[in-house]
Amino acid sequence: MSEHPQFEEIFDEYVLGALEGEEKRTLDAHLSTCAGCGRKLEEARERLALMAFAAPPTRPSPAVKDRLMRQVAAATRLRFTPAPVRKRSGFWGWGVPVFAVAAVVLAIITGFLAHRNALIEARLKTLEASEAQFMAAEKQERAGMARAQSIMDVLTSPATLKVSLVPAQAHPAPQGKAFFNPEKGLVFYAADLPQLPAGRTYQLWLVPTHGNPLSAGIFATDAQGNGEVLLPPLPRGVSAKAFAVTIEPAGGEPQPTGKKVLIGAVS
Amino acid sequence: MGESKAQLPGVPLHEEGRAADLDLIRRVAQGDESALSILYARYSGVVYSVANRVLRDTGAAEEVLQDIFYQLWGNAANYDAARGGLGGWLLVSARNRAIDRLRRRKPVDTATTEEVIPMACNLESSVAQSELMSRIRSAFDLLPPSQRQAVELAYFEGMTHSEIAQHTGEPLGTVKSRLRSALQSLRQVLKP
């Protein structure tokens, strides 16, 4: 068996497609004989998959889903078009139904191509706008370095408590996760929270072991019901017993007054 | 797993949002459009974000997104769900197809591209995805700029070592060293 690679990172470079020439050939040859390194390659593929989360988060337009589901429905109709079971007849020698199916196929393909043409024209118009938007967004990203460091500190510090929040009542969908480090701060994510009516907001609370709940800030949710609170101002060194999310009037309240939607105790 | 419940059309069960990828892909293989819809809700955001960042073109990214899910619909019966890793497959496909389109080349190594990636981590919940995104984006932000550039050119542009060297004007040895350092730093973070 040829030698194992010197650097672990070579597997990542391989799955990235960055490896080339002699280095790539050598690794290819080695992989064909070494099961252990095959597993390392699989691990590198998993890391490649996760790198996707480094992309700036954007949402596709709802039109994409519409097009997808129409495409899916059309494919389903074709698949279940009953096959003609009758004598050969008609001008073409195969009978009408096959012709009808062919016409449907043609219509779908034509429709699809026409749609693609429309997409191409729309794309030409939006290309420059997208470019400008991305340049601006990337500038903003780089400006967030110090904040990124603070967030990393909270998420990765061994002293950080991880608290999962579950619905306070029997309503399965909303969920939340709080990462709290008394010295480094609080990072909180929520998902699947229902949209609130105007004049109401969600508010996050830290419930200390002694004393009244402390407000950790108000937050809004996006269309998907996701929300977050990152590094809110809190007194240092607080001992937390639990975290909770309530619904409060817009602007928040000094103490919780509204319904609890999420709660999680420090274990 | 659990028995499937009859449901009124248009009234989603809350539990649907929690259905495992494994169950959903099996339902897709049986022609269940609602299962595809849930998978789309779960993964379209990150699939689209990658394609959009690679292609810098919302129209092209939308086509990649639609193609990936349409292919999932067509091939679900062939998907070995027991091996797990649907999320991983979607994310690697998104990046690789976008790169292929960016570089206008035929998908070369489809065996590698299409391979199932058993993922140890949970990608199925929005909270897990939010956490991964925050953690991984922060880690990229923290890389020294030259290392960050090297890994972004490799990942988002699909460049080889020599292509990165040509693009940046740096010697090949320097590029390899920077990319390896970046990947070494990122290993700690690219974990479940």
Side-chain angles (χ1 to χ4, degrees):
Chain A
M1 196 199 295
S2 50
E3 273 179 29
H4 294 298
Q6 240 188 320
F7 310 101
E8 289 280 318
E9 290 71 44
I10 207 163
F11 297 105
D12 296 81
E13 293 179 313
Y14 186 93
V15 299
L16 275 166
L19 211 60
E20 56 192 338
E22 192 57 45
E23 283 187 308
K24 182 167 192 282
R25 281 192 290 276
T26 307
L27 185 56
D28 273 328
H30 179 76
L31 285 167
S32 64
T33 63
C34 177
C37 285
R39 278 190 289 281
K40 290 194 191 249
L41 191 70
E42 277 198 8
E43 288 165 14
R45 273 205 199 99
E46 187 169 321
R47 290 192 288 274
L48 181 75
L50 290 174
M51 269 191 227
F53 288 99
T58 49
R59 291 266 164 207
S61 103
V64 182
K65 187 175 178 195
D66 292 338
R67 292 196 287 271
L68 173 70
M69 299 317 278
R70 281 202 297 274
Q71 209 181 355
V72 158
T76 307
R77 278 199 296 278
L78 271 181
R79 200 192 298 165
F80 293 115
T81 301
V85 185
R86 56 173 86 175
K87 289 190 299 211
R88 290 186 176 194
S89 62
F91 180 78
W92 299 100
W94 288 284
V96 167
V98 174
F99 184 71
V101 170
V104 169
V105 171
L106 198 62
I108 288 169
I109 291 171
T110 309
F112 199 57
L113 286 174
H115 200 67
R116 287 238 168 172
N117 277 340
L119 273 179
I120 288 167
E121 286 188 29
R123 206 190 317 161
L124 285 171
K125 284 181 193 158
T126 58
L127 193 59
E128 263 174 41
S130 299
E131 187 75 47
Q133 201 182 335
F134 269 106
M135 294 304 180
E138 286 211 32
K139 259 191 196 161
Q140 229 178 336
E141 296 312 321
R142 283 169 219 274
M145 267 185 74
R147 191 168 163 75
Q149 177 71 70
S150 306
I151 291 174
M152 275 296 280
D153 277 351
V154 174
L155 290 176
T156 59
S157 166
T160 295
L161 307 167
K162 296 181 186 59
V163 181
S164 288
L165 282 75
V166 297
Q169 302 165 8
H171 190 266
Q175 46 178 325
K177 210 153 197 156
F179 298 86
F180 176 61
N181 183 306
E183 291 310 310
K184 295 177 196 285
L186 171 65
V187 170
F188 169 78
Y189 301 106
D192 301 321
L193 283 169
Q195 282 290 91
L196 292 176
R200 301 244 143 230
T201 186
Y202 287 110
Q203 191 160 0
L204 176 67
W205 303 93
L206 186 162
V207 183
T209 47
H210 303 288
N212 290 330
L214 298 168
S215 171
I218 59 173
F219 63 96
T221 51
D222 63 16
Q224 279 70 35
N226 298 327
E228 63 188 20
V229 178
L230 304 175
L231 306 171
L234 283 169
R236 286 206 115 87
V238 173
S239 174
K241 184 168 69 177
F243 291 87
V245 172
T246 62
I247 299 176
E248 301 295 341
E253 290 288 318
Q255 283 292 287
T257 67
K259 175 179 143 190
K260 270 197 286 265
V261 292
L262 286 173
I263 188 153
V266 172
S267 48
Chain B
M1 223 168 136
E3 74 262 358
S4 60
K5 302 183 185 181
Q7 50 174 320
L8 297 170
V11 177
L13 292 173
H14 289 298
E15 290 77 41
E16 291 285 62
R18 298 290 189 80
D21 282 357
L22 189 75
D23 296 328
L24 291 170
I25 196 66
R26 284 175 179 157
R27 281 165 53 187
V28 169
Q30 287 157 14
D32 183 345
E33 292 180 19
S34 71
L36 184 73
S37 183
I38 295 168
L39 286 171
Y40 184 88
R42 189 170 285 177
Y43 291 113
S44 60
V46 62
V47 165
Y48 179 73
S49 297
V50 178
N52 208 5
R53 169 59 179 86
V54 169
L55 293 162
R56 298 188 189 277
D57 176 342
T58 55
E62 288 181 352
E63 285 181 23
V64 168
L65 171 63
Q66 190 176 341
D67 287 346
I68 285 178
F69 277 89
Y70 188 59
Q71 196 203 334
L72 191 66
W73 173 256
N75 284 349
N78 300 329
Y79 188 84
D80 186 357
R83 278 199 69 193
L86 178 64
W89 179 84
L90 284 168
L91 298 182
V92 171
S93 287
R95 179 260 181 181
N96 286 348
R97 283 179 204 216
I99 299 275
D100 288 338
R101 189 168 172 145
L102 182 74
R103 310 192 68 157
R104 284 179 182 77
R105 61 184 186 213
K106 298 271 178 210
V108 175
D109 207 345
T110 44
T112 330
T113 313
E114 308 296 322
E115 202 164 308
V116 169
I117 301 149
M119 301 279 307
C121 65
N122 170 32
L123 298 183
E124 297 177 11
S125 82
S126 335
V127 167
Q129 287 194 16
S130 289
E131 190 208 323
L132 278 166
M133 186 160 64
S134 186
R135 192 207 303 171
I136 291 166
R137 285 174 65 72
S138 299
F140 270 71
D141 283 347
L142 290 169
L143 290 172
S146 59
Q147 289 185 24
R148 181 181 183 170
Q149 184 189 35
V151 69
E152 287 188 341
L153 289 174
Y155 180 78
F156 290 114
E157 316 280 336
M159 287 192 187
T160 61
H161 287 143
S162 52
E163 285 169 345
I164 297 171
Q166 193 174 35
H167 182 92
T168 58
E170 301 283 353
L172 187 62
T174 307
V175 162
K176 285 187 192 178
S177 159
R178 282 179 183 161
L179 182 57
R180 282 167 190 169
S181 297
L183 291 169
Q184 193 177 31
S185 302
L186 291 172
R187 272 168 71 89
Q188 306 312 314
V189 156
L190 295 171
K191 262 180 200 177

